[in-house]
Amino acid sequence: MRLKAALLLTLLAAPCLPAQAQELTGTLRKVKERGALTLGYRDASVPFSYLDGNQKPVGYAYEICLKVAEAVKAHLKLDRLEVKLNPVTSATRIPLIANGTIDLECGSTTNNADRQRQAAFTNTHFLTATRFVAKKEKGLDRTDDLKGRTVVSTSGTTSIRQINEINAARGLGMRILPAKDHAEAFLMVETGRADAFVMDDVLLAALVAGAKTPEAYAISSEAQSRPEPYAIMLRKDDAPFKAVVDAATAALYTSPEGRALYDRWFTQAIPPRGINLQLPLSEAMRKVLSSPSDSADPAAY
């Protein structure tokens, strides 16, 4: 009797071995239960995430997210995974990640120390720097040329914070206006409501390439920041999901498919208007793709 009682107590005290679904936590558990993964996309961040002629999301970062979705499906051993889409803006992307509305943010988001307090990032997929675009006729090329000028930048971005800090530090007396998105900001320069648009240089290059008269614009030779890493954003403090995402992006970037993906969006004609950014892989970008890292430190690149 005593032996049976002791055995019963031992069994009750032993930890249960739950099924895989019960072992899962965070995003992986949510995806497993719902059979769906939600991607946040941008409507005008060419060539990273934007709408094509059929108003469907396309782009370099968007395709990376689709590859991650495939990896999540395989990891969870799902027969089918629904990929849901949710539009985001510069202002809404972090809140929508934090509150669980979207699981991955597929855009042109800089990975920096400030944002890491609110979200997590996977491996870097692009390096950019803040510059400004202006009409050539204005003769603006360096930061000091913006003294007393009306300058626009997109609300909720690193660029608008940087130009505000520069304005205050140097006493340049700029009038800095926030725009709701990149398209609106560039339109303000086109129509003369702003003298310059401060933003990540690759996004400016895309806007100029897609303009009615690309030859009328020039991007500043002087940068307003050091090179900064772009990466797919995900929820903070979700290590199991991040491990899957990191493994998927690292495998993609170091493969021939990763190089082909880059070439498709940066050296070839892209939809819907067939523009070509003509940005071949730089030595810094070769390092980014061959040695994947999720570091937010510009010095790491």
Side-chain angles (χ1 to χ4, degrees):
M1 181 67 73
R2 289 180 180 176
L3 183 59
K4 289 182 179 179
L7 181 59
L8 178 61
L9 287 172
T10 300
L11 291 173
L12 289 173
C16 295
L17 298 176
Q20 184 191 31
Q22 292 174 307
E23 292 175 343
L24 296 172
T25 60
T27 303
L28 290 176
R29 179 173 181 173
K30 185 182 81 166
V31 172
K32 179 79 170 182
E33 291 175 347
R34 300 182 181 181
L37 181 76
T38 304
L39 308 183
Y41 68 90
R42 301 291 293 274
D43 63 1
S45 284
V46 181
F48 298 93
S49 178
Y50 65 101
L51 298 178
D52 67 8
N54 297 315
Q55 297 299 294
K56 300 294 184 183
V58 294
Y60 178 60
Y62 179 72
E63 285 202 40
I64 292 171
C65 281
L66 293 180
K67 290 295 181 181
V68 172
E70 291 177 8
V72 171
K73 177 184 175 184
H75 178 79
L76 294 175
K77 298 180 173 59
L78 297 174
D79 293 330
R80 179 178 177 275
L81 176 65
E82 180 183 4
V83 176
K84 295 183 176 181
L85 304 176
N86 196 98
V88 300
T89 66
S90 296
T92 65
R93 55 189 168 181
I94 293 178
L96 292 179
I97 276 284
N99 69 18
T101 300
I102 61 174
D103 302 310
L104 295 170
E105 189 266 334
C106 317
S108 50
T109 299
T110 302
N111 175 11
N112 58 36
D114 182 58
R115 287 184 176 145
Q116 285 192 350
R117 297 186 186 98
Q118 307 171 74
F121 292 82
T122 188
N123 297 305
T124 298
H125 61 252
F126 196 82
L127 294 178
T128 188
T130 299
R131 299 180 192 270
F132 66 82
V133 67
K135 288 186 176 179
K136 288 181 180 178
E137 64 188 30
K138 292 185 177 291
L140 307 175
D141 182 58
R142 302 185 66 80
T143 307
D144 286 345
D145 295 338
L146 299 178
K147 185 174 182 177
R149 299 280 187 164
T150 297
V151 175
V152 64
S153 190
T154 309
S155 177
T157 63
T158 302
S159 298
I160 196 169
R161 174 180 58 77
Q162 289 169 337
I163 199 62
N164 272 297
E165 291 172 352
I166 291 171
N167 193 34
R170 299 193 190 181
L172 295 177
M174 287 182 272
R175 180 183 177 221
I176 300 174
L177 305 176
K180 68 177 181 179
D181 55 32
H182 308 324
E184 180 184 73
F186 189 71
L187 180 63
M188 291 175 70
V189 173
E190 280 187 306
T191 57
R193 287 178 289 161
D195 296 303
F197 171 26
V198 178
M199 185 42 57
D200 300 344
D201 52 13
V202 63
L203 300 180
L204 296 179
L207 289 165
V208 170
K212 295 177 182 177
T213 54
E215 65 280 2
Y217 300 92
I219 296 173
S220 64
S221 62
E222 182 184 26
Q224 286 77 55
S225 74
R226 298 175 65 181
E228 298 178 327
Y230 277 175
I232 305 299
M233 186 165 55
L234 54 152
R235 263 180 298 288
K236 189 179 179 182
D237 300 325
D238 193 350
F241 182 57
K242 180 169 166 40
V244 174
V245 178
D246 286 351
T249 53
L252 173 63
Y253 301 162
T254 56
S255 72
E257 185 179 5
R259 172 63 186 269
L261 182 63
Y262 180 94
D263 288 342
R264 181 157 68 251
W265 291 101
F266 294 97
T267 68
Q268 300 172 20
I270 59 175
R273 295 173 54 191
I275 65 172
N276 187 332
L277 300 187
Q278 301 183 48
L279 293 174
L281 206 62
S282 66
E283 193 56 42
M285 273 303 301
R286 289 180 193 277
K287 179 181 175 183
V288 163
L289 296 182
S290 63
S291 302
S293 169
D294 65 353
S295 176
D297 183 4
Y301 303 97

